[in-house]
Amino acid sequence: MPQTDFLDERPVTQLKGVGAKVAEKLQRLGIHTISDVLFHLPYRYEDRSKVVAIGSLERGGSAVFEGRVELSEVTFRGRRTLLVRLSDDTGFVTLRFFHFSLSQKEALQRGQWLRCFGEARALRKARGLEIIHPEYQLIDEQDRGKINHGVLPVYPVTEGLRQASLRKLAKQAISLANEGGQLLECLPSSVLRENDWPSLNNCLMKLHQPGKMPATGLLDQFAFKRLVFEELLANHLSLSRLKKVTQQHPAPVFDKGERLQQDFLRSLGFSLTAAQQRVIAEIRQDVQRNAPMQRLLQGDVGSGKTVVAACAALYAVSSGYQVALMAPTELLAEQHFKVFSDWLQPLGVYVAWLVGKHKGKTYQSITNQISKGQANVIIGTQALFQDKVSFAKLGLVIIDEQHRFGVQQRIALRDKADSAQMPHQLVMTATPIPRTLAMLGYADLDLSIIDELPPGRTAVTTSVVSVVKRDNVISRIEQGVKNGRQVYWVCTLIEESEVLQCQAAEDAAKLLQQSMPNARVGLIHGRLSADEKQKMMTDFKQNKLDVLVATTVIEVGVDVPNASLMVIENAERLGLAQLHQLRGRVGRGVKESHCVLLYQPPLSKNANERLSVLRQTTDGFKIAEEDMKLRGPGELLGKRQAGFLRFKIADMTRDAKMLPAVELAAEQILQESPEVVEVLARRWLSNLVDYALV
Ligand code: ADP
Ligand code: MG
């Protein structure tokens, strides 16, 4: 390594404005060095370079606009709200504030001009557009149009760190880079030559300060491609290394449990599908060797992965080892706890669970059972591994719904075992991933696929309906409820703001209750406590509720076989994988099920085609394939990649073409300059988990 001014080695505290306190917050984003600031990439941009006429504001778009206050009033429908109606000469728009001060209200007098920035949403009754909590400033009429901001990057932030601070830090870091601060070049020179890529500094600068709003063409830019390449490379190298290192550890041998498994399978009310049997056999082979199993179990929603996990658990328990099962939400953890208890307790297996709500004495007693080895199977959320929980004899780790977790968590889990022996690991996901992609995204794992659903499932029929016909849909629900059906109503805003999403769900619940006074309507969203969520879910499961209005918290795993109707709002704004995942919550029982995808008109041609895919098939693999084909180039940076390994900028489906070259480069690096693996991993993976929370 040449000795120069390496930004990789300079602590972030060398930047202006970063004291101990800020540094601590930055750490939460995985930022320790100046180079980390540069690799903390924006996930979208805001165009503040021009003022948009109110009449040409687009739904879903963020823009700067200016207008005169026409009307300002406080309403009390539902909750206290300040509504401000603005107009320029091209149209009207409504600003909506749920939190506001008296002085704020008074400043917004009729006739006052404002400059605002925010995302326009459509009002329910098509009364035009509205903006919730826009940024705004009071301006004089003669200052209209005088703005001097350019295009601003938007970064993942954390509590107590504002967008503005991150922008300042990025600016400083870029100046340093331009003044000769260096970043270690990790790519082999042959790769650089072949592609004629610009320098790393240059590429990073283009992403942080794009100058003008990056259009769809961004993806074709060298700067972008180069960074995507590096990110894929970083992943591939880290995972390959992980696999190699893991395989060098001995693992426990599970060679007992046949009898117990037979008893278990006999106690089930069904027989395994051929695919389940095949996959169980693959796992059986793995755990009989004394090297750690590292297996990815992939099977569409409802394909029956849980039974497979239970069999694996029985092997471990029969050989005297503990099993830890990690679920992405408390809701799912509790559901697994119930299922595993029902299945395994009668066989003499002790099942425990540990989640955030277990505190004080309860917590103590559970962790004691774990550390003394009394608990055989322990189910929990991430908390299971972050807290100071020690296992007496951990032999198998099962991770459910892997797409919700990052690579880092996979690594952390493995660290939990004592170093002499590595536990076997089974990772489960409902995300259909083409095999070639899986090899890269999960290069540390072997792949098993359940490619068949249990018999007797009724296919879910799907229709695509304009929100204009919402009333029809509601009367259909009402009819369904009368016939004993249970219904999910899913509110999906794809904003970063959880608050808004919850707000939308609250509104929807109110509306539904008003329209159907006789129906029992429940509400579940991310801001409820774990207990409240659990209670809602249990009530729904026990048929004490007819309609469950929910945010996407119900996306993973929940199993309520009687629910047979699902309505998804704003369906056009979600990825197909996520819609498929959501839809998988119905069609689990014997009732014929139906899913209604509500969209806000007008529906673009592409959106129409995408939604049609869901109408035509329920096959997760097909959906993934079509999704890849129909993916618009407009979906750029850090789009929520629900259903896949999360990257900062790479996108497995979009960037699949690069994989062969990435693999070649990886081999070359491992031979010629293995020391850069560490640097690449730090740059690209160290804050991956936090990106997952954006
Ligand atoms: P997922 O793969 O989405 O996790 P689950 O394991 O929750 O699916 O299984 C969905 C439902 O199907 C559960 O109620 C489960 O008991 C049931 N099931 C699993 N395997 C079979 C089978 N072979 N035959 C019938 N029902 C099954
Ligand atoms: Mg599951």
Side-chain angles (χ1 to χ4, degrees):
M1 235 187 251
Q3 286 303 312
T4 38
D5 181 17
F6 273 113
L7 300 178
D8 292 295
E9 285 152 23
R10 292 175 56 182
V12 69
T13 44
Q14 289 184 4
L15 295 179
K16 262 181 271 156
V18 185
K21 254 198 178 146
V22 175
E24 195 193 305
K25 287 176 190 150
L26 286 169
Q27 259 182 35
R28 272 190 255 139
L29 294 171
I31 299 176
H32 307 266
T33 65
I34 296 180
S35 131
D36 292 338
V37 175
L38 291 171
F39 282 91
H40 191 69
L41 297 172
Y43 62 98
R44 63 180 174 86
Y45 300 97
E46 287 175 359
D47 190 353
R48 311 258 187 154
S49 63
K50 57 178 190 292
V51 176
V52 173
I54 289 178
S56 15
L57 285 177
E58 281 176 28
R59 185 170 62 84
S62 295
V64 181
F65 57 91
E66 294 170 342
R68 189 176 50 233
V69 176
E70 297 291 332
L71 176 82
S72 164
E73 61 172 351
V74 177
T75 66
F76 292 90
R77 272 195 48 213
R79 61 195 284 189
R80 190 165 160 268
T81 305
L82 171 62
L83 294 176
V84 178
R85 203 143 160 82
L86 280 194
S87 119
D88 52 9
D89 295 321
T90 65
F92 287 94
V93 68
T94 305
L95 313 183
R96 182 181 288 267
F97 298 90
F98 299 114
H99 311 282
F100 55 92
S101 64
L102 190 64
S103 61
Q104 209 176 354
K105 183 190 141 221
E106 280 175 354
L108 298 172
Q109 288 295 336
R110 197 181 148 89
Q112 170 69 52
W113 277 85
L114 303 181
R115 177 174 303 141
C116 311
F117 180 84
E119 196 202 288
R121 310 195 319 156
L123 274 180
R124 189 164 290 134
K125 286 180 194 116
R127 271 190 299 144
L129 294 171
E130 72 167 21
I131 323 264
I132 295 176
H133 281 250
E135 288 172 35
Y136 72 90
Q137 65 187 105
L138 310 179
I139 56 169
D140 289 333
E141 185 169 4
Q142 68 262 29
D143 289 334
R144 289 175 63 187
K146 291 184 192 156
I147 59 171
N148 55 1
H149 283 300
V151 169
L152 294 183
V154 182
Y155 297 101
V157 290
T158 181
E159 195 117 5
L161 255 187
R162 290 150 44 92
Q163 214 35 262
S165 324
L166 278 164
R167 285 179 185 146
K168 273 189 197 144
L169 293 182
K171 249 190 195 149
Q172 282 188 63
I174 284 169
S175 305
L176 287 177
N178 286 338
E179 289 157 14
Q182 296 203 29
L183 292 165
L184 183 73
E185 180 54 72
C186 296
L187 296 183
S189 47
S190 57
V191 173
L192 287 173
R193 235 177 297 122
E194 255 162 54
N195 294 285
D196 202 18
W197 277 327
S199 76
L200 190 52
N201 280 3
N202 208 320
C203 293
L204 288 168
M205 196 173 79
K206 281 209 170 115
L207 282 205
H208 286 285
Q209 300 176 345
K212 60 180 200 294
M213 198 64 181
T216 46
L218 176 65
L219 296 182
D220 299 325
Q221 283 180 16
F222 280 146
F224 189 72
K225 280 205 176 136
R226 177 192 162 132
L227 293 176
V228 167
F229 188 90
E230 291 209 24
E231 181 167 34
L232 292 175
L233 185 62
N235 264 275
H236 189 61
L237 282 167
S238 323
L239 292 178
S240 312
R241 190 181 52 174
L242 183 62
K243 180 166 198 176
K244 228 181 180 163
V245 171
T246 308
Q247 285 303 313
Q248 286 161 0
H249 287 81
V253 173
F254 306 153
D255 51 7
K256 305 195 182 65
E258 300 289 346
R259 274 280 313 281
L260 210 54
Q261 188 189 351
Q262 277 171 17
D263 291 345
F264 166 56
L265 293 179
R266 237 177 284 139
S267 75
L268 289 171
F270 50 79
S271 41
L272 297 178
T273 63
Q276 283 169 322
Q277 288 174 20
R278 187 187 65 236
V279 164
I280 290 172
E282 284 166 354
I283 293 171
R284 182 64 173 165
Q285 274 205 337
D286 283 357
V287 297
Q288 278 174 333
R289 294 184 307 135
N290 70 344
M293 166 168 77
Q294 291 166 275
R295 190 163 284 281
L296 176 67
L297 171 56
Q298 193 184 303
D300 214 341
V301 275
S303 62
K305 296 184 288 295
T306 320
V307 176
V308 174
C311 286
L314 284 179
Y315 297 147
V317 174
S318 311
S319 295
Y321 284 87
Q322 287 174 303
V323 179
L325 192 164
M326 180 166 89
T329 62
E330 293 203 0
L331 217 57
L332 195 50
E334 177 151 14
Q335 183 179 297
H336 277 323
F337 172 64
K338 287 192 178 134
V339 169
F340 274 77
S341 301
D342 282 354
W343 281 348
L344 304 187
Q345 302 272 37
L347 303 169
V349 176
Y350 185 81
V351 184
W353 73 306
L354 184 67
V355 294
K357 75 168 180 189
H358 293 139
K359 301 227 157 66
K361 273 198 187 131
T362 320
Y363 180 85
Q364 270 310 327
S365 112
I366 300 173
T367 48
N368 269 339
Q369 290 169 357
I370 300 174
S371 63
K372 296 212 173 97
Q374 291 155 346
N376 303 123
V377 176
I378 303 99
I379 294 166
T381 52
Q382 305 177 44
L384 199 51
F385 298 93
Q386 284 158 355
D387 291 358
K388 294 198 174 58
V389 181
S390 73
F391 290 82
K393 222 176 161 194
L394 183 60
L396 170 67
V397 171
I398 303 172
I399 305 181
D400 194 17
E401 305 291 359
Q402 150 72 21
H403 66 278
R404 284 298 189 94
F405 299 109
V407 180
Q408 282 230 321
Q409 278 144 320
R410 230 147 79 209
I411 298 170
L413 277 180
R414 265 172 242 191
D415 291 346
K416 199 76 192 173
D418 69 80
S419 55
Q421 263 195 346
M422 203 41 102
H424 295 286
Q425 195 178 157
L426 180 65
V427 175
M428 309 199 287
T429 179
T431 312
I433 312 160
R435 197 174 270 269
T436 46
L437 298 188
M439 276 165 61
L440 188 102
Y442 297 104
D444 58 329
L445 305 173
D446 298 315
L447 188 59
S448 288
I449 300 179
I450 306 185
D451 51 6
E452 113 188 69
L453 290 180
R457 292 278 164 83
T458 50
V460 182
T461 51
T462 299
S463 46
V464 179
V465 177
S466 161
V467 72
V468 174
K469 295 193 184 142
R470 181 201 292 259
D471 290 345
N472 294 3
V473 174
I474 293 179
S475 24
R476 206 159 135 193
I477 292 181
E478 203 170 9
Q479 196 51 49
V481 166
K482 274 193 195 130
N483 296 334
R485 283 174 161 231
Q486 284 184 283
V487 185
Y488 290 106
W489 182 286
V490 189
C491 297
T492 64
L493 286 172
I494 54 163
E495 313 317 324
E496 298 92 71
S497 161
E498 199 189 5
V499 183
L500 286 189
Q501 204 181 61
C502 300
Q503 173 71 37
E506 276 168 20
D507 290 351
K510 245 180 247 158
L511 177 84
L512 287 171
Q513 189 66 78
Q514 276 164 13
S515 324
M516 306 183 288
N518 292 324
R520 299 163 300 173
V521 179
L523 171 66
I524 186 166
H525 59 59
R527 305 200 102 205
L528 298 183
S529 72
D531 272 349
E532 289 168 319
K533 271 188 257 184
Q534 193 51 51
K535 169 145 190 353
M536 257 325 151
M537 215 54 228
T538 311
D539 283 355
F540 190 56
K541 211 165 182 159
Q542 296 175 347
N543 212 342
K544 291 181 190 158
L545 292 172
D546 302 307
V547 181
L548 185 65
V549 178
T551 56
T552 44
V553 291
I554 58 146
E555 179 181 329
V556 281
V558 284
D559 194 26
V560 181
N562 193 49
S564 62
L565 190 57
M566 172 176 279
V567 179
I568 306 178
E569 285 195 280
N570 297 316
E572 79 280 13
R573 301 183 70 179
L574 293 192
L576 291 189
Q578 198 178 7
L579 287 170
H580 175 62
Q581 191 81 27
L582 280 167
R583 182 173 61 176
R585 303 297 121 222
V586 292
R588 310 193 132 229
V590 286
K591 282 206 178 120
E592 196 180 307
S593 295
H594 196 76
C595 177
V596 179
L597 304 175
L598 280 184
Y599 66 87
Q600 297 265 5
L603 197 57
S604 72
K605 183 163 169 285
N606 185 269
N608 188 13
E609 275 176 50
R610 284 157 47 90
L611 293 183
S612 300
V613 172
L614 289 171
R615 208 165 42 202
Q616 284 154 14
T617 180
T618 49
D619 176 339
F621 272 97
K622 255 209 195 108
I623 290 171
E625 255 174 49
E626 291 299 317
D627 196 20
M628 192 184 326
K629 282 190 216 146
L630 291 170
R631 204 71 85 79
E635 292 153 60
L636 301 178
L637 312 178
K639 175 184 172 295
R640 278 175 167 270
Q641 292 174 29
F644 216 112
L645 220 183
R646 216 171 271 270
F647 292 102
K648 291 185 187 180
I649 56 171
D651 177 321
M652 282 295 218
T653 42
R654 182 193 65 206
D655 301 321
K657 295 184 288 300
M658 286 191 192
L659 301 187
V662 167
E663 271 182 77
L664 277 180
E667 270 168 41
Q668 201 178 342
I669 286 177
L670 287 174
Q671 278 175 19
E672 294 168 11
S673 49
E675 70 281 358
V676 306
V677 178
E678 197 60 46
V679 180
L680 278 170
R682 268 202 47 95
R683 286 178 180 171
W684 291 102
L685 300 182
S686 72
N687 50 6
L688 208 64
V689 174
D690 300 281
Y691 272 81
L693 303 174
V694 166

